Amino acid sequence: MASSSSSGLTFKLHPLVIVNISDHYTRVKSQTNPPPLTSTSATVNGVEHQQQAPRVYGCVIGVQRGRTVEIFNNFELLYDPSTHSLDRPFLEKKQELYKKVFPHFYILGWYSTGSDAQESDMHIHKALMDINESPLYVLLNPTINPAQKDLPVTIYESELHVIDGIPQLIFVRSSYTIETVEAERISVDHVAHLKPSDGGSAATQLAAHLTGIHSAIKMLNSRIRVLHHYLVGMQKGDIPCENSLLRQVSSLLRRLPAIESEKFQDDFLMEYNDTLLITYLAMFTNCSSTMNELVDKFNTAYDRHSRRGGRTAFI
Amino acid sequence: MDSSIAQKTWELENNILTVETPDPSSDSIFYYDEAAQAKFQQEKPWANDHHYFKRVKISALALLKMVVHARSGGTIEVMGLMQGKTDGDAIIVMDAFALPVEGTETRVNAQADAYEYMVDYSQTNKQAGRLENVVGWYHSHPGYGCWLSGIDVSTQMLNQQFQEPFLAVVIDPTRTVSAGKVEIGAFRTYPEGYKPTDDPISEYQTIPLNKIEDFGVHCKQYYPLDITYFKSSLDCHLLDLLWNKYWVNTLSSSPLLGNGDYVAGQISDLAEKLEQAENQLAHSRIGPLGPPRKKEESQLAKITRDSAKITVEQVHGLMSQVIKDILFNSVRQSNRSHNEQSGPEPMVEA
């Protein structure tokens, strides 16, 4: 069922969709398994029997521009697994509502939770085919596996394959990238790491900002190390040489330095100078404000002694 | 004997584990207890104490949706509703949805247009399994801070009369992007005529000149609530994994490029305030000013703070750029001969 897709579409997924699906699942799970009213921490914890966590279903919406499909948002669907019926009027109602607020988005496919795509999923898939000729199927695996390194989200497309002489639709996996806008990234960061939300002193803000960049660079470093290790192994002969990989690495290296032109240097220095100028002005403002206060205090302190004389008021 | 020791060890280990990763049973916050909520509605403990609700808990999903919606509006104010429940003196926001109205500050009750939408949406949501009720509304103030304007205050007062419990949330997406942290505020108004006994110290934020009057007139009529965030265990797990793909975006973000207009606007606003301050200072020259007004900072001190804030944000942005330059561009240094080293010292990797 899962070979790699050949449709050539690139998929971009927004983190909002992932959090949304997870929230939907958690909600349904807590409603069907109400938590114990008295929370005795020592007993309940690790021993959660594998209660049949219900599957949740919903629609994903977004935009398709040329060969790029960008998934922005999603909403719930009503589906009865026993009768395999999709609640049509509900879907249409929801679609209408979402169209009003996000007029550019349209239905790209549907989502569900579970560990693997199943045969019954094809029914929903076919049902959605009249809205979108080639819908997507986003699958989220809600089991928390601490050893897992990769996002448990897979995107499937449907393709017509001939199996045993009968043309059938089967699911094929596609790869995707995570796409985000700046505001989304900041709020995800905020919730993920619970950074200090109040102003704090300038020092804590600086620390927070630099820590973020530092962790990102650490990731970059570790990934590069892995590559390096791999290449060294190849050189020594421990690992068989793989030419396609070598080509990719070589093209990656050739992209450095990222930009080298004179114009970039000039613009970069100009931006640098602008920032320095702003800092200078801020310092200036700070100094004049302090000076002003000093003069005020001075006047208040010394005016008492010399009532006459040049320092009296003139308006 | 053995098995009990093993069990105890295992329980101990599990306890340790559950402290580190959020316990699945802590997801109980997601459970909607209809009976308890109805009872709370009837008791109305907020009717007597105007300062009853003190805290707000916002879910990760709600925050994400609100910020993305606010940002998508660009410079236009947008608004939406929040769904959730109450828990003692805290209001819990589980989800949020956008309303198809373009908020303008002149509309007193923009929600009148959106009632049909709201009813439809709530109905479909209840069918889909989200049982919470609407507990508040949110809107955006792109670029001018998180506070309630005159219209907002009157809207909220109306809401608090008829739709209790109700909360007002304001998000500033422009400042969020510029500062790199979420600018959000939650407020509840006092009823007409009620004067708060103590003056709550609210965090200072800079307000542009054209809005500062509106802010000043109404700022005593409402009070801010503390905001905390929560997420489910699955959310935690997913967000952790998301970081594996996300670090690229963090490194590649360029706040300087995205917010050039906003910074320019801030600077020009600051210049106007400076002129005002100059006039004020010229008139209040000499002479003992009477008892020193410790509480009110002078205009100039406020301006200094604002300028410091703008500078800090700008410097942070520049730091990111410089780091990226060092990381990805410093290869050229080895190619260049030593005579040519003309770049400023901090950028060059020795």
Side-chain angles (χ1 to χ4, degrees), chain B residues 38-39 69 97 130 178 190 199 203 230 234 237 264 337:
Chain B
K39 183 159 160 279
H69 181 218
F97 60 92
R130 180 176 281 295
S178 151
Y190 296 120
D199 211 2
E203 182 196 325
F230 66 91
L234 184 59
H237 179 68
S337 66

Side-chain angles (χ1 to χ4, degrees), chain B residues 54-58 90-91 93 167 186 225-229:
Chain B
K54 297 194 179 46
R55 302 175 288 135
V56 180
K57 291 197 201 164
I58 303 186
I91 299 186
V93 175
L167 180 70
L225 291 95
D226 284 327
I227 302 183
T228 48
Y229 304 97

Side-chain angles (χ1 to χ4, degrees), chain A residues 127-139:
Chain A
L128 277 178
M129 271 173 134
D130 54 352
I131 303 184
N132 182 335
E133 334 68 63
S134 142
L136 304 169
Y137 173 33
V138 180
L139 181 68

